Structure formats: C-alpha cells, structure tokens
Amino acid sequence: MKKHNFSAGPCILPQEVLKKASEAVINFNNLDLSLIEISHRSADFVAVMEHAKELVLELLDLKDKGYSALFLQGGASLEFLMVPYNLLPVDGKAAYIDTGTWSSKAIKEAKLLGNIEVIASSKESNFNYIPKDYTVPSDATYVHCTSNNTIFGTQMKNFPKTDKLLVCDMSSDIFSRKLDFSQFDLIYAGAQKNMGPAGTTLVVVKDEILGKSGRQIPSMLDYQVHISKDSMFNTPPVFPVYVSMLTLEWLQSLGGLEAIQKINEDKANLLYQEIDSNPLFQGVANTEDRSNMNVTFTLTDESKKEKFDKLWKAAGISGINGHRSVGGYRASMYNAMPIESVQVLVDMMKAL
Ligand SMILES: *Cc1c(COP(=O)(O)O)cnc(C)c1O
C-alpha cells in the first residue's frame, strides 16, 4: 500500500500524474519513443512546453495581462540571484522581508549585487510569525517576500501594499489558494513542492519590468533571453516540465485554485483542530500566521515521543519529522495529499 507521504519536498504528487508520467517515459504520445529521448524542439515537446505555460497563466488568472511564464533551471535558489540581477539597478536598493531560512538565503544572494534593506524580520523568535509592521523605503525598486515558510510553518495571508515592484518566492504554496496574482510583478517557485519533480523552476514575470536594471546580465540569468527563446534558450528539463504540465492539468480538472483552496483548508482545519484540542500537542507557529501547507507542531511531553513515532510509522505515515532548525514534527499537506491521509495522522494523535 502507498504510504501517507507528508514530506516537505520533494513531495507527494497525484497518483494519476505519476502513472501518466511513467508511461510517457516508455512511450510518449504513441511515438514509440520516450519523452526523455526526443528532441526538445520536436513538435510533440514544444506542445508540452506551450501547454504548461498556458496552464500556469490560466490558473493564476494572468492570461493576457502582460505576464510571461518561464520554466527555468537552478531551483528557487538561483532565483535568489536572478531577481536582483534583472531588477535591481546598479546603484539601487531593494527591500526584503525576512521570514525564514529561505528569505535569509534570498537576502544573502541579493546582497552580492547591491544595497539590500531588511525591512522586517521574525528571526528573534525563530521565525514563528509573519512581521506585519514595516515601511518600504521610498528609494527601493522592489519588495521581496516569501509567501509560505516551508520550514517554520508560517504563511502570509496579506502581502505588502506598495507602489514598488512586488516579488514573491511562492515555492511551497504556489497553486494552493486563490489570490489576486496581479498584485505581484514577479513570482518564482521551485517545482518540487507543489507542481512536479525537482529540476525546473517556474517564473512568472510582468514583461514591462524587465530590461531596466542597467546591468550586463549573463545570458542564462537574463529573463528576457529566456522569454525570447520560449524557455528553450538551452535544453529545458523536459521531464520536470512534462510532469508539471500533467499536475496543472489535474488541478484544472479539479476546478482550479478555488477548488483546491477549499480542499487545502479542510485538511489544515482537521489537523490544527487536533493540535489545539489535544493536550499532548502544541502548534509552533503563531495562530494567525499558520500555514495550510506545512503544519509544525511539538509534543508537550517528550517522554511520549517513542510511542508516538511507533504509532505513526505503523500507520504507514512518512515524512513528518520536523526540520532540524525547529524540531518536533512537520506535516506537509501539499495539493496532492488526500484528506484521508490527514485523518490517519489525526487518528494516531488521538490514539497517543
Ligand atoms: C524549497 C524552497 C526553496 C529552495 O528551492 P530549490 O528549488 O531547492 O532551490 C526556496 N524557497 C522556498 C520557500 C522553499 O520552500
């Protein structure tokens, strides 16, 4: 029987997507060739890339609104550098909100390129909340935020209201809820949290903001180069792009972001209700900032750990050990996680 996979990333994907993807590895589109042994310039693969990009813009409701979708490589971690390369003027400034390990890494890379002001941080309390009180300096070109903090289990419910460009790392909650995505000028996300296998990074960028940094940008780091080549400036990661396309098709057939948001809320409510009502457990994140994707919690009585670990392992649960910087447990419940698996976890918490 398949395990209940609560892994934080790479993570669970829909079973039907895995089945279709495995078939395409052997015989893609009845070509009697594998998806991963045909030219990325063949009509069959170009159609995959085009459809994947189209689905991204449709699901985010950004079609015909001046945005481009890109499937790049290097992970969200390379975007930490690409964003300032493309957006930060040589003598300019950018504002960053520091809400966790990934934000901190984004700040570190951006500092290589210019003047970075950290306008708010929750570091002093091990990132267990989202700071909401900050001022964006008038000379900043963009504000960078992280919508969901995968490690600490916090999630932004509201985003900075600013007349500056708004950039967001959505690696771990992209396509999980309905937002007004047109409030963002650039969104990026590594595929492996909610979209597909590791190996491709989604970037959605408003075209008009590019080409203004005054920098000489290496080709592979230049969004305009990738846009002009339809994400095929070099050989794209065909398998991750294909699987991402399948996941997005699955999401669309479910009813899109409104439908998945409801499912994700139901899962999160089920688990948080147990954490809040069971005296043996305690949530880590500030209640109003809790993530619907990554739920962090600890035992109130460490002597129960051995018993609890035995219980959930025997129930076929996998991947709920907390990150080393937080401890305790982390249950990641991305789009493809069925509520039945969350119920199994809750049953084990009740059984403790
Ligand atoms: C996982 C993660 C990253 C890093 O992604 P890579 O694709 O491994 O570089 C960045 N930001 C967030 C919010 C993440 O969850």
Side-chain angles (χ1 to χ4, degrees), residues 210-222:
L210 298 174
K212 296 178 177 167
S213 77
R215 289 178 194 274
Q216 278 243 293
I217 308 174
S219 308
M220 274 298 281
L221 303 185
D222 188 340

Side-chain angles (χ1 to χ4, degrees), residues 34 69 71 90 147 178 195-196 201 209 247 281 299 334:
S34 167
F71 283 92
V90 177
S147 56
K178 202 162 169 68
M195 189 172 68
T201 318
I209 72 170
T247 311
F281 294 95
L299 282 164
Y334 297 108

Side-chain angles (χ1 to χ4, degrees), residues 140-195:
T141 305
Y142 67 88
V143 182
H144 179 283
C145 59
T146 310
S147 56
N148 184 72
N149 298 283
T150 327
I151 293 176
F152 302 93
T154 60
Q155 187 172 31
M156 294 180 84
K157 315 289 172 182
N158 295 296
F159 293 88
K161 302 262 176 288
T162 173
D163 58 348
K164 312 300 176 194
L165 303 180
L166 187 57
V167 177
C168 190
D169 175 359
M170 290 196 191
S171 291
S172 53
D173 68 352
I174 185 119
F175 303 120
S176 73
R177 58 177 167 168
K178 202 162 169 68
L179 292 173
D180 173 12
F181 291 96
S182 70
Q183 69 188 296
F184 303 99
D185 296 282
L186 193 152
I187 296 166
Y188 62 90
Q192 71 276 13
K193 306 270 168 47
N194 217 7
M195 189 172 68

Side-chain angles (χ1 to χ4, degrees), residues 319-334:
I320 64 163
N321 282 318
H323 189 272
R324 61 190 176 280
S325 56
V326 181
Y329 298 93
R330 171 175 52 167
S332 299
M333 309 188 295
Y334 297 108

Side-chain angles (χ1 to χ4, degrees), residues 76-98:
S77 299
L78 188 59
E79 298 314 309
F80 298 161
L81 182 67
M82 279 178 80
V83 164
Y85 238 123
N86 284 265
L87 302 186
L88 183 63
V90 177
D91 296 317
K93 181 193 271 187
Y96 277 66
I97 302 175
D98 186 19

